[in-house]
Amino acid sequence: MENFAMELTPEQREIAEGKQGEVKAKVMRTLIMFGEIFGAKRLIPVTHAQGHLVTSFGIGLLKPLFRTMDELISEGLKAEGGFTVDPRPIDYANVKCGVLDKLVFSKIMYSRQADYERQLVAVGLTDKDAFTCTCYLPEVGNVPAKGDVLSWAESSAVVFANSVLGARCNRNSGMLDLFGSIVGYVPDFGLVTDEGRRATWKVYVRTTARPEAQILGSAVGMKVMEDVPYIFGLDAFLGSELTDDAIAYLKDFGAATASNGAVGLYHIDNLTPEAKDLGEALIAEDAKTYVIDDAELERVYRSYPVMWKDAGAKPKLCFIGCPHLTYGQLEKWTDDIVGTLAAKGRKKVAVRTVLCAAPAVAEKFRRSGNYARLTATGATLTSICPLMYTNNPLTKRISIATSSNKLRTYSAARYYKDSELLTLISGGEV
């Protein structure tokens, strides 16, 4: 322990020295080393006990992950507060695959899925439906309070918790999220500190209409990268209260900032919790400036590459909901799809269309009348991660369309605005 510079409490030192078992000691030492890399002087308690893990997929190559889980299980270690986890990768009932695709998914890519899910349960998975990237939605129930310190991973969940809920969490990698939940501590640096939450960018939104959340988030993410932006002007379109509509918008906006850049926290003037409390006092003196107008949004949108093998192809598959859709978004997409089809004199979608939502949100929606309206169009509802689905190299032969900038960034899917997707779904051309 003399090699560690971090100041530890007696309990933390006891754990690190192996007095509560060697496996728990390795967990604690890993967190200490991780913190010291970023200059943390201490560990602080996790105050929202329920964690969120990013690693939800049983890829056979992740042997170190499975070995680590076995070590934790053998010592009886688990996240006492439980945890949610990112979405499952496959759902053959609602996202149909060919025989060859199924073979690649089940025998090669996710050959350890069932085994890994048993490991997740053993170390604290909340329940069988706790698979979603939107764990913070009320239907799921993993909702930290303002000021809570978290041990989460998943970039879109972390940026939402930090920004919209006012909780505190760094962008952890897989397993560090679980380690922090097991010992109940995380390193004190970055976005869990007051200084780390100060904005180093002033972003002015000066568009003539409400900007597409995914494109605005993309623009901000690519400009500020891992820095913290304070955004002016967006409250003119979203209001000054975190309504369901504003929450859904900021969910998608934040996911784009985190995937097209590396944003872990943003402040929206007159809207997000810390901005309402502290205002421009959150902004560092030497903050840079970025102005986003209609022309800048269009420039960003036109910069996206087309990764399809045939750039002129028509889409064969459409994914909506990355991150997972809120209940309100499911209702709106249903109304928009049904209405657009009716206006075109069609009853069925022209492109195979899959909407993605958390299991709890999807189940709530299935009990509503809108579910029958949606499925009558030929669209389906799933709770998978479309990104994990597109990791199958065979999907590269399919022209996939999406309104998700995150999915566009991490796959060969092509990005379309919401209105453009509706045109394609209804048989039109963009």
Side-chain angles (χ1 to χ4, degrees), residues 235-277:
D235 58 316
F237 303 108
L238 299 182
S240 59
E241 299 298 329
L242 289 170
T243 62
D244 289 347
D245 176 64
I247 285 171
Y249 184 98
L250 294 178
K251 166 183 71 74
D252 293 337
F253 165 80
T257 69
S259 58
N260 287 202
V263 174
L265 164 68
Y266 58 81
H267 303 292
I268 308 293
D269 189 51
N270 201 35
L271 181 57
T272 53
E274 287 164 286
K276 293 190 80 166
D277 286 349

Side-chain angles (χ1 to χ4, degrees), residues 71-391:
E71 283 192 61
L72 296 173
I73 294 166
S74 70
E75 291 291 308
L77 297 176
K78 63 189 302 183
E80 296 301 329
F83 57 83
T84 49
V85 66
D86 266 14
R88 291 182 170 101
I90 46 180
D91 172 10
Y92 296 135
N94 296 296
V95 189
K96 297 189 182 301
C97 300
V99 174
L100 188 56
D101 295 280
K102 282 187 178 181
L103 180 65
V104 172
F105 276 130
S106 61
K107 300 298 183 183
I108 301 174
M109 290 192 64
Y110 303 119
S111 58
R112 294 289 302 274
Q113 188 66 29
D115 291 339
Y116 181 54
E117 290 193 21
R118 283 190 285 270
Q119 289 181 319
L120 288 173
V121 170
V123 296
L125 180 65
T126 303
D127 60 65
K128 65 180 179 61
D129 289 331
F131 288 84
T132 178
C133 51
T134 54
C135 60
Y136 45 77
L137 294 179
E139 293 87 352
V140 183
N142 189 356
V143 188
K146 180 183 174 184
D148 267 339
V149 176
L150 318 179
S151 183
W152 285 14
E154 161 55 39
S155 62
S156 69
V158 168
V159 73
F160 186 94
N162 276 323
S163 309
V164 183
L165 300 180
R168 298 192 169 206
C169 185
N170 281 311
R171 282 173 53 115
N172 297 305
S173 62
M175 293 309 289
L176 286 172
D177 45 16
L178 179 58
F179 287 176
S181 293
I182 287 174
V183 299
Y185 295 102
V186 291
D188 184 27
F189 74 94
L191 298 177
V192 302
T193 69
D194 289 343
E195 184 61 28
R197 297 177 75 82
R198 298 191 70 194
T200 53
W201 281 87
K202 294 183 288 186
V203 177
Y204 295 91
V205 177
R206 293 175 178 168
T207 56
T208 56
R210 176 163 128 163
E212 199 100 358
Q214 298 275 358
I215 303 176
L216 179 65
S218 172
V220 172
M222 288 193 288
K223 188 70 171 182
V224 311
M225 296 306 292
E226 76 277 10
D227 290 345
V228 177
Y230 190 103
I231 301 166
F232 295 92
L234 194 53
D235 58 316
F237 303 108
L238 299 182
S240 59
E241 299 298 329
L242 289 170
T243 62
D244 289 347
D245 176 64
I247 285 171
Y249 184 98
L250 294 178
K251 166 183 71 74
D252 293 337
F253 165 80
T257 69
S259 58
N260 287 202
V263 174
L265 164 68
Y266 58 81
H267 303 292
I268 308 293
D269 189 51
N270 201 35
L271 181 57
T272 53
E274 287 164 286
K276 293 190 80 166
D277 286 349
L278 300 172
E280 295 183 39
L282 284 167
I283 304 173
E285 290 184 5
D286 58 348
K288 305 180 186 71
T289 297
Y290 178 38
V291 177
I292 301 177
D293 55 16
D294 294 338
E296 175 65 359
L297 278 186
E298 185 66 13
R299 181 196 67 79
V300 170
Y301 172 57
R302 296 295 176 188
S303 72
Y304 301 150
V306 178
M307 304 296 289
W308 292 351
K309 288 186 176 181
D310 176 6
K314 291 184 178 181
K316 302 296 183 185
L317 173 60
C318 171
F319 275 118
I320 302 170
C322 177
H324 278 168
L325 298 170
T326 66
Y327 186 83
Q329 286 178 311
L330 278 176
E331 291 189 312
K332 186 177 188 309
W333 273 107
T334 298
D335 288 343
D336 288 347
I337 291 171
V338 171
T340 304
L341 290 176
K344 296 288 183 68
R346 297 182 64 102
K347 293 184 177 180
K348 298 288 186 180
V349 293
V351 179
R352 186 159 66 100
T353 302
V354 180
L355 283 71
C356 307
V361 174
E363 182 56 32
K364 178 181 176 181
F365 187 73
R366 289 188 180 100
R367 295 195 299 266
S368 75
N370 272 326
Y371 179 64
R373 293 177 65 223
L374 176 67
T375 55
T377 69
T380 60
L381 176 61
T382 184
S383 294
I384 68 163
C385 172
L387 174 57
M388 291 298 102
Y389 176 88
T390 56
N391 273 351

